[in-house]
């Protein structure tokens, strides 16, 4: 037998090439977390690599959603079906979000993360982060009424909606455009749909290309976060972080598996296919940036039809934030406890309502959950300085809640697809998908 004479570097490169993409992304994440603090300033300097990666994803999202939703609506054939999909999706999102806030509140009440913080720590945190509170105070704008909200869903200029990545407006326009195409005869519709189909396919090709550089982007993002992260703050707020992250984890391993089972899908199969999307969400802290990958995996690996995914997922990126809802429940209780404010049942119901509504209008971008938290605090009359108590661990909680947020969108898409007979797992996977 001839010994293998492949030179070592080539062997290593070959081995690395052989690793599956999702394993590489996970490696990027782990290595970033481990080496970030060691690299220090260098890690901060390579952050543009991570930002470039996020920009690449965001670059794809608007044309992808637009093309895919117009094609999806125009090929639906039956507008009543669209109405049904809409009602089911919004219903699911409202129930899941309200349940998530309630779970966050219950966990906060049960584990009392804010009880026992000494006055000195509290005073020093309030002083350290006073600037952030000022900024938040300026960002709290008047809450729009329901009427305003509905009017604002209609874009005066669809191109502006696209330029601002305003998903609610984009969805509104794309559906109407799709309906208009359906009304036009086949002959008129076809050339437009052919082009949009090609745009859609080209965007998917781009998603796949960006996914190949994901391990490096994820490494750069996580390295920068862990290099800059205040581990001291983490220790001070450990109980709060554990309660918040723990509740999100419990929600993820209870609510979603139940929803998946109701949709006839094996949760093990789901998480095996989906954890790559979760890694994207965790590293980018943005449901919007994760959307292209989420659409790709939900349609091609989990079998959700284009019609359902193209509508349910972009809507979810804006409207459905289960992780954020849990965060708001836990944080409200935490801040109230530190300030010694006790919240009665009515207050808790106010939190459920306000947090659910606040999450509807918030875009899936980094840090938005902390902004909408101010709405909840204002509603309850809790001092907004309280934000200063949680800001030190904001990034890590943002990463976690984004992961839970996107998972909720896909769990809903699978359920809606199942009930609409639009769930078609690839034949080769059927055995494990329905196990
Ligand atoms: N970053 C989250 C998301 O994109 C929203 C939040 O800040 O809670 O889903």
């Amino acid at each position: 037998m001839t010994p293998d004479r492949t030179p070592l570097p080539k062997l290593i490169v070959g081995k690395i090439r052989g690793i599956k993409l999702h394993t590489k992304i996970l490696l990027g994440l782990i290595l970033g977390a481990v080496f970030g603090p060691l690299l220090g300033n260098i890690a901060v300097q390579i952050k543009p690599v991570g930002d470039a990666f996020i920009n690449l994803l965001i670059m794809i999202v608007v044309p992808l959603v637009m093309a895919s939703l117009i094609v999806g609506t125009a090929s639906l054939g039956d507008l009543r079906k669209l109405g049904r999909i809409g009602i089911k999706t919004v219903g699911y999102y409202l129930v899941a979000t309200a349940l998530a806030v309630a779970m966050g509140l219950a966990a906060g009440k049960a584990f009392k993360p804010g009880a026992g913080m000494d006055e000195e720590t509290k005073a020093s945190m309030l002083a350290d982060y006073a600037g952030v509170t000022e900024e938040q105070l300026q960002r709290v704008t008047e809450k729009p009424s329901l009427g305003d909200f509905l009017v604002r869903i209609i874009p005066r200029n669809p191109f502006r909606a696209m330029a601002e990545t305003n998903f609610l407006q984009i969805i509104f326009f794309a559906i109407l455009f799709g309906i208009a195409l359906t009304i036009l005869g086949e002959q008129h519709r076809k050339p437009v749909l052919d082009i949009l189909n090609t745009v859609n396919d080209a965007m998917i090709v781009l998603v796949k290309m960006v996914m190949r550089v994901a391990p490096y982007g994820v490494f750069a993002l996580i390295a920068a976060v862990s290099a800059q992260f205040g581990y001291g703050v983490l220790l001070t707020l450990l109980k709060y972080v554990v309660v918040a992250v723990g509740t999100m984890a419990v929600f993820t391993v209870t609510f979603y598996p139940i929803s998946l089972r109701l949709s006839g899908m094996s949760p093990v199969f789901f998480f095996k296919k989906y954890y790559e999307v979760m890694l994207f969400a965790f590293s980018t802290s943005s449901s919007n940036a994760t959307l292209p990958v989420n659409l790709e995996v939900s349609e091609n690996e989990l079998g959700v039809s284009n019609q359902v995914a193209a509508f349910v997922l972009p809507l979810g990126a804006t409207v459905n934030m289960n992780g954020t809802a849990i965060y708001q429940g836990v944080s409200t209780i935490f801040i109230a406890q530190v300030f010694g404010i006790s919240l009665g049942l009515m207050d808790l119901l106010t939190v459920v309502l306000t947090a659910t509504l606040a999450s509807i209008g918030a875009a899936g971008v980094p840090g938005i959950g902390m902004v909408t938290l101010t709405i909840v605090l204002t509603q309850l009359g809790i001092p907004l300085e309280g934000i200063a108590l949680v800001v030190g661990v904001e990034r890590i909680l943002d990463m976690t809640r984004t992961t839970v947020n996107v998972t909720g969108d896909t769990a809903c898409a699978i359920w809606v697809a199942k009930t609409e007979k639009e769930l078609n797992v690839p034949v080769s996977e059927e055995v494990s998908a329905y196990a």
Side-chain angles (χ1 to χ4, degrees), residues 152-229:
R152 277 189 212 166
I153 290 181
I154 306 172
R156 285 189 172 192
N157 178 347
F159 294 101
R160 181 158 176 198
M162 286 189 259
E164 291 173 350
T165 324
N166 184 328
F167 279 128
L168 292 182
Q169 293 190 346
I170 291 175
I171 291 170
F172 187 88
F173 177 76
I175 288 181
L176 285 188
F177 190 55
I179 292 174
L181 284 175
T182 324
I183 295 169
L184 288 178
E186 165 77 21
Q187 206 190 344
H188 290 92
R189 176 168 66 223
K190 197 173 171 302
V192 179
L193 286 184
D194 282 347
I195 291 178
L196 289 175
N197 256 320
T198 311
V199 171
N200 191 22
D201 293 348
M203 289 304 131
I204 293 290
V205 172
L206 285 187
V207 174
K208 294 203 167 127
M209 280 158 72
V210 177
M211 282 170 85
R212 291 180 66 166
V213 298
Y216 312 102
V218 167
F219 173 83
L221 284 173
I222 300 288
V225 169
S226 63
Q228 287 173 309
F229 194 69

Side-chain angles (χ1 to χ4, degrees), residues 103 247-257 271 278 326 404 407:
M103 210 158 145
T247 314
M248 290 188 222
V250 170
F251 191 84
T252 306
V253 298
T254 53
F255 184 80
Y256 298 143
F271 283 111
M278 295 171 90
I326 292 173
V404 182
T407 310

Side-chain angles (χ1 to χ4, degrees), residues 285-288 317 320-321 323-324 327 363-370 394 398 401-402 405-406:
S285 282
S286 165
S287 299
N288 285 8
N320 185 45
M321 297 189 176
T324 305
Y327 159 83
V365 295
I368 203 74
M370 203 172 77
E394 161 60 11
D398 195 7
R401 56 187 197 245
T402 309
N405 291 350
V406 297

Side-chain angles (χ1 to χ4, degrees), residues 142-154 169:
E142 273 172 55
K143 263 194 304 149
S145 67
L146 184 66
D148 272 351
F149 177 73
L150 293 177
V151 171
R152 277 189 212 166
I153 290 181
I154 306 172
Q169 293 190 346

